[in-house]
Amino acid sequence: MNKEKRQLELLLELLNERAQIEENIKALPVGYISVKQISGHTYYYRQWREGNKIISEYVPEAFLNATKRKIAARKEQESLLKAVKAEIKKVNRKIDKERTLTKEEVEELLQK
């Protein structure tokens, strides 16, 4: 039972971490910085895709570094989210293999 409890606690911890990372990602901007040369002047744009359209938003040079840091932070969080999801799958397989929880219980936990 102690082993079952540890696995369940680990799963719940991973699910909470996934939720927190997803919240962090929502707060950070998507896209990339594009540099345009127009009439000898340099302009910076944050660009991202929505469906088949590329959306551009001008970024003043004063905000360029902050925007780049936020975009980089989002990419790091997305990478971390991928690793956490892989770990959740691994724990789920272990729980399923040992049958410590029913499949319905695991799916219920995943929905939270």
Side-chain angles (χ1 to χ4, degrees):
M1 184 67 174
N2 196 15
K3 186 177 181 183
E4 294 171 358
K5 185 177 178 182
R6 281 185 300 198
Q7 288 177 342
L8 182 57
E9 287 173 352
L10 176 60
L11 180 61
L12 290 174
E13 185 178 310
L14 288 168
L15 292 173
N16 287 335
E17 186 175 355
R18 180 183 72 179
Q20 181 61 48
I21 292 169
E22 288 171 345
E23 285 297 315
N24 293 344
I25 289 172
K26 286 179 188 177
L28 295 168
V30 297
Y32 56 92
I33 297 295
S34 176
V35 181
K36 307 277 184 188
Q37 290 288 332
I38 302 172
S39 299
H41 298 293
T42 304
Y43 297 93
Y44 302 95
Y45 296 88
R46 179 174 67 93
Q47 294 184 319
W48 66 96
R49 186 172 290 277
E50 287 183 7
N52 291 330
K53 287 179 106 180
I54 294 179
I55 309 297
S56 295
E57 178 182 80
Y58 173 71
V59 177
E61 197 167 344
F63 297 109
L64 181 62
N65 287 333
T67 303
K68 283 182 178 181
R69 281 194 305 273
K70 288 177 183 178
I71 290 171
R74 182 185 178 100
K75 290 181 182 190
E76 287 175 18
Q77 290 291 304
E78 288 171 342
S79 177
L80 183 59
L81 180 61
K82 186 177 179 180
V84 168
K85 285 182 176 182
E87 189 66 26
I88 288 171
K89 278 185 178 182
K90 190 167 40 169
V91 170
N92 277 334
R93 279 190 225 115
K94 192 171 189 178
I95 288 172
D96 191 42
K97 181 179 175 184
E98 296 175 3
R99 299 282 181 210
T100 56
L101 293 175
T102 66
K103 192 170 191 168
E104 292 79 23
E105 291 172 326
V106 172
E107 288 174 1
E108 184 179 319
L109 287 171
L110 290 175
Q111 297 305 315
K112 292 182 180 179

